[in-house]
Amino acid sequence: MSSPALRGGGLPRTVLRLHRSALLTWTVFVAGASGWLVWLTEVTGKGRDTQGLPCAGACGTLRLLTDYPNQLAWAGDLIGYGFVGVAAFAGGALIGRELESGTAWLAWTQGITPARWLTAKLALPALAVTAGGTVLVLVFRWAFGADPDPSWHFAWTWDIAFMARGPLLVAYALCALAVGTLTGLLLRRALAALGVAAGAMWLLNTVLTSYRFRLWPAVTRTGPHAFDIPDDVALVNEGGDGRGRFATYQPPSHFWPLHLTETAIVLSVAALAVLLSYHLLRLRTKPSA
């Protein structure tokens, strides 16, 4: 007889109850990071002119702690690499722990098909990740654009500014969820899946970041003599010889083509990981002949 708690709407409620601590942690993370950005923009950023107080040898340390660009960079790093935590959670707590402890197998004997179990496991975290990631993107875009110093906006090539100003941030979080799920199904050990999932997402991000500015046709400039390259571009390549010089770079106007191209790649990896997860689960739970 199937358990009433696992029938109908009971399965989503069960998943929510099992992982309410993770949901609470994610909510606190989103609220805390958003609040930090608001504070930096409305208090720290606007009060920079009043921070030049006399000091001795500690001036460098004080500026490092209170300087607006540095604090914005720290907040951006916290937001941008949050997907590593999502991957660790998905591989460890969401999937790996239930397979290791046997609770997943128990659910499958209570009238819940493996495919339905996995769908519930993916759908609710995906909804939370998408909602929270969207909030972080909107707040970061507002904070990034609020600084009146035009030199700061040359930082569009900064890894976190590139990622957190559009859907790429959400794409990385969804991909981390999918990769963590696949890792948990493969390893069926919480701790091992946690580490491998986080490492796999870090590697994916490292590879894509290194090729980021080659994902869209770049601007090439040539000339018989040395020339100045604009400060606000992403330099891809430059060189020259006795016959002239050349430079290949991405201008700021290419931000969205580059951003959306990388987003499409990351979402494709996520979709592939989800398909492989369902296929692997079907093979693992297929009744033996």
Side-chain angles (χ1 to χ4, degrees):
M1 181 180 297
S2 61
S3 171
L6 296 177
R7 290 202 299 262
L11 181 57
R13 286 198 299 270
T14 300
V15 173
L16 185 60
R17 185 170 63 251
L18 285 172
H19 301 290
R20 60 183 178 272
S21 297
L23 178 60
L24 178 61
T25 301
W26 174 245
T27 302
V28 170
F29 173 80
V30 172
S34 299
W36 189 8
L37 286 172
V38 172
W39 176 269
L40 287 175
T41 303
E42 293 297 322
V43 179
T44 305
K46 292 182 178 180
R48 276 179 288 177
D49 292 338
T50 64
Q51 291 179 5
L53 300 177
C55 57
C59 279
T61 302
L62 289 175
R63 287 199 180 96
L64 179 64
L65 294 174
T66 61
D67 186 63
Y68 172 77
N70 284 330
Q71 289 197 58
L72 185 60
W74 294 344
D77 288 340
L78 179 66
I79 292 170
Y81 293 109
F83 66 84
V84 176
V86 174
F89 161 73
L94 186 67
I95 301 296
R97 185 174 64 188
E98 293 209 23
L99 292 176
E100 186 175 17
S101 64
T103 55
W105 297 93
L106 178 61
W108 300 338
T109 63
Q110 298 296 312
I112 301 298
T113 64
R116 187 178 162 208
W117 171 85
L118 183 57
T119 299
K121 285 288 185 181
L122 286 171
L124 293 176
L127 180 62
V129 162
T130 301
T134 301
V135 170
L136 291 174
V137 168
L138 293 175
V139 175
F140 186 87
R141 282 185 61 84
W142 167 75
F144 189 84
D147 192 342
D149 183 359
S151 65
W152 175 241
H153 300 286
F154 291 167
W156 73 274
T157 59
W158 169 40
D159 293 346
I160 302 304
F162 186 92
M163 184 191 307
R165 292 169 62 207
L168 182 58
L169 181 73
V170 179
Y172 266 108
L174 291 174
C175 186
L177 178 64
V179 169
T181 298
L182 178 60
T183 304
L185 289 169
L186 281 170
L187 301 179
R188 292 180 287 182
R189 293 291 183 272
L191 187 59
L194 180 154
V196 171
M201 282 306 303
W202 176 84
L203 179 61
L204 174 65
N205 176 255
T206 299
V207 171
L208 288 179
T209 298
S210 65
Y211 288 97
R212 173 169 292 160
F213 298 113
R214 300 178 185 273
L215 299 178
W216 192 260
V219 173
T220 299
R221 180 180 174 184
T222 60
H225 306 291
F227 49 82
D228 294 330
I229 301 173
D231 293 331
D232 60 347
V233 302
L235 184 63
V236 178
N237 194 13
E238 67 173 332
D241 52 30
R243 295 173 294 179
R245 296 189 58 81
F246 73 92
T248 303
Y249 56 85
Q250 298 285 1
S253 60
H254 287 191
F255 168 77
W256 281 112
L258 289 162
H259 185 97
L260 295 177
T261 299
E262 187 171 346
T263 300
I265 293 172
V266 174
L267 289 177
S268 296
V269 174
L272 178 61
V274 170
L275 290 175
L276 290 175
S277 296
Y278 277 101
H279 178 67
L280 179 61
L281 185 62
R282 185 170 61 251
L283 292 178
R284 291 272 174 84
T285 58
K286 183 179 180 180
S288 56

